[in-house]
Amino acid sequence: MAVADVLDRTDEQKAIQEMVRQFVDEQILPNAERYDHEDLYPEPIIEQMKELGLFGVTIPEEYGGMGLDLSTYAMIVEELARGWISISGAVNTHFMGSYLLMKFGTDEQKQRFLPKMATGEIRGAYSLSEPECGSDVQAIKTTAKKGDDGKYEINGQKMWATNGLKSSVVFTLVKTDTEVKPPYKGMTCFIAEKEADVSENTGEYAGLVVPPKIKKMGYKGVESTELVFDGYKCPPENILGGEEGGLGKGFYQVMDALEVGRVNVAARGVGVAQRALELACKYAHERKTFGTEIANHQAIQFKVADMATKTETARLITRHAAKLKDAGERSDLEAGMAKLYASEAAKEVVEDCFRIHGGYGYSKEYEIERLYRDAPLLLIGEGTSEIQRMVIGRKILDEAKPK
């Protein structure tokens, strides 16, 4: 439904996007309602995604991935989220973990983890939030202290870890120095290994417990969990970037990853908005009032016009942020704008679709009910709308200061 291709997509990007769209139409959309209703992990769909190579989209070819850029990845995420936002969630934290490895990992860490991550043999999770802090990252309480055996002992509790149970590696931000000021200088990112699909780890991974998944309003199927570290031992070679290069650098590393994370959340917003627009148009031609399709009523036409405009604007601003990052330019401002606009647009477009459906929108028999529960997640993940506005406003005003 997008306008003529002004996005400068390559033939390869067009082919990949069409391939993923076909996969979504044939495998995800017909099954999403059942998985959502039962809050069931979509294992068959995940296995097909592995076969398609979707867990290694941005991982370099030398490690078995596709070696594609962020712009292409954003297109893929948009299509997956159009089918079901939970499916895109299964790859997004994995993507952020592989990004951290590619940019900050040692050669040994890349060789060890990236080939298996590219195939989906092992999956990644990304853990910052804690029970008492989310946006205020510097307030984290989870700590890691080096013991006499040379290993770091991690203690603390993490929250909202997507893929928390299914993952084999968790990129975890902790404090290795609780005294330094400001606090972010004492933060380190550990590559915490664990057993996939195991609640209470044993053996070399003892001390890491994954409680039952958090029950949520939406974003079902894919698990969001707590992670409890209680005497978990992590070798120094699992510090992202190595002990010499990565100790105390975790805050900078995860903030860099959040920049690309905000692009993929924005892409998810575009996908959700696109699906809501499609559902609204379909229903507008099916439903009749006062002797005609409601598509012929000006009130509906106005809503659809606004929905389409917001969706296309969100798509363009998201692609712009991705292209800047691909070009090696700093894009924290643009990524924040994309995340802010696309997530808010998704919420508004979904609500308009809900209104167009009238009473049927409130019924679980219609797909819009699921989107209505899923869309609010985007307003929170990877930084709330309020945080985005604060960051954007400060940066714009700083740049406008008299020299």
Side-chain angles (χ1 to χ4, degrees):
M1 194 167 293
V3 295
D5 197 348
V6 297
L7 302 170
D8 297 325
R9 292 182 303 166
T10 65
D11 290 340
E12 182 183 33
Q13 287 174 329
K14 292 176 184 177
I16 290 172
Q17 193 168 11
E18 179 57 37
M19 179 267 290
V20 177
R21 176 170 281 250
Q22 182 177 348
F23 171 69
V24 167
D25 288 343
E26 295 177 356
Q27 303 299 328
I28 298 179
L29 283 172
N31 296 299
E33 294 303 313
R34 176 172 64 87
Y35 286 118
D36 173 83
H37 178 71
E38 299 176 12
D39 199 5
L40 184 67
Y41 188 76
E43 191 70 52
I45 295 176
I46 296 296
E47 289 301 315
Q48 291 179 73
M49 290 169 65
K50 290 180 183 178
E51 295 175 9
L52 292 173
L54 295 182
F55 286 94
V57 172
T58 58
I59 295 174
E61 293 180 5
E62 63 186 288
Y63 299 110
M66 294 185 184
L68 301 175
D69 57 17
L70 181 60
S71 296
T72 309
Y73 178 75
M75 296 177 195
I76 291 171
V77 170
E78 177 188 329
E79 294 299 338
L80 291 175
R82 172 183 161 269
W84 185 23
I85 195 173
S86 297
I87 288 293
S88 63
V91 296
N92 280 342
T93 56
H94 179 88
F95 156 74
M96 291 176 74
S98 63
Y99 174 85
L100 283 169
L101 276 172
M102 291 185 292
K103 184 156 186 179
F104 301 108
T106 64
D107 289 339
E108 189 277 332
Q109 288 170 347
K110 293 175 184 177
Q111 292 288 350
R112 185 178 171 200
F113 295 111
L114 286 178
K116 291 182 179 179
M117 291 182 77
T119 62
E121 179 183 344
I122 65 172
R123 305 245 300 285
Y126 183 82
S127 187
L128 275 67
S129 296
E130 297 186 359
E132 297 181 25
C133 74
S135 298
D136 184 9
V137 178
Q138 293 192 80
I140 64 171
K141 296 180 178 179
T142 302
T143 60
K145 294 183 179 180
K146 194 171 186 178
D148 294 337
D149 58 0
K151 295 182 177 181
Y152 286 82
E153 182 178 307
I154 301 179
N155 290 284
Q157 187 176 357
K158 293 292 185 179
M159 283 288 289
W160 305 113
T162 300
N163 292 335
L165 181 65
K166 300 286 185 179
S167 59
S168 299
V169 289
V170 183
F171 294 82
T172 309
L173 187 67
V174 305
K175 282 184 177 175
T176 44
D177 186 339
T178 58
E179 303 297 329
V180 68
K181 301 295 182 183
Y184 68 82
K185 292 186 176 180
M187 295 183 180
T188 301
C189 183
F190 281 84
I191 306 170
E193 297 181 76
K194 58 183 283 293
E195 299 174 76
D197 269 324
V198 172
S199 296
E200 186 165 351
N201 288 258
T202 57
E204 61 181 320
Y205 306 138
L208 175 52
V209 175
V210 184
K213 65 182 180 181
I214 301 166
K215 294 182 179 180
K216 300 164 295 186
M217 175 176 72
Y219 196 42
K220 294 178 179 288
V222 174
E223 82 280 11
S224 301
T225 72
E226 300 174 60
L227 298 173
V228 180
F229 293 89
D230 185 10
Y232 174 86
K233 296 291 186 74
C234 197
E237 55 265 28
N238 275 31
I239 291 175
L240 181 63
E243 189 172 28
E244 183 177 343
L247 191 67
K249 300 293 193 301
F251 183 82
Y252 302 101
Q253 294 165 343
V254 299
M255 288 299 108
D256 186 284
L258 280 177
E259 193 173 304
V260 296
R262 284 167 181 158
V263 172
N264 74 50
V265 170
R268 292 162 85 177
V270 177
V272 170
Q274 179 65 42
R275 183 58 182 168
L277 177 60
E278 293 170 3
L279 292 173
C281 291
K282 180 176 182 290
Y283 186 79
H285 284 295
E286 293 173 348
R287 179 68 169 172
K288 292 183 178 181
T289 63
F290 304 105
T292 186
E293 295 178 356
I294 63 172
N296 294 322
H297 298 320
Q298 192 178 62
I300 300 300
Q301 294 166 1
F302 281 5
K303 280 191 183 299
V304 169
D306 288 342
M307 293 165 70
T309 301
K310 289 174 182 176
T311 302
E312 194 62 29
T313 303
R315 179 176 289 115
L316 292 170
I317 197 172
T318 300
R319 301 284 172 85
H320 174 63
K323 285 191 174 186
L324 279 178
K325 189 70 174 177
D326 288 334
E329 301 287 340
R330 184 170 179 176
S331 60
D332 54 338
L333 177 65
E334 290 78 9
M337 288 178 170
K339 194 276 175 185
L340 170 63
Y341 186 85
S343 61
E344 293 285 352
K347 182 236 347 175
E348 293 166 6
V349 172
V350 165
E351 182 170 346
D352 278 341
C353 178
F354 171 81
R355 289 171 179 268
I356 288 172
H357 278 72
Y360 286 111
Y362 209 64
S363 166
K364 284 187 175 292
E365 294 181 12
Y366 282 77
E367 186 180 338
I368 184 57
E369 183 271 343
R370 170 168 56 82
L371 270 62
Y372 198 78
R373 288 184 286 105
D374 285 343
L377 169 72
L378 301 169
L379 305 174
I380 300 169
E382 313 298 3
T384 64
S385 292
E386 290 73 23
I387 289 292
Q388 304 307 323
R389 289 187 172 99
M390 182 178 70
V391 171
I392 294 166
R394 284 179 178 175
K395 188 171 180 63
I396 294 294
L397 288 169
D398 284 345
E399 292 178 350
K401 279 184 180 178
K403 303 300 183 183

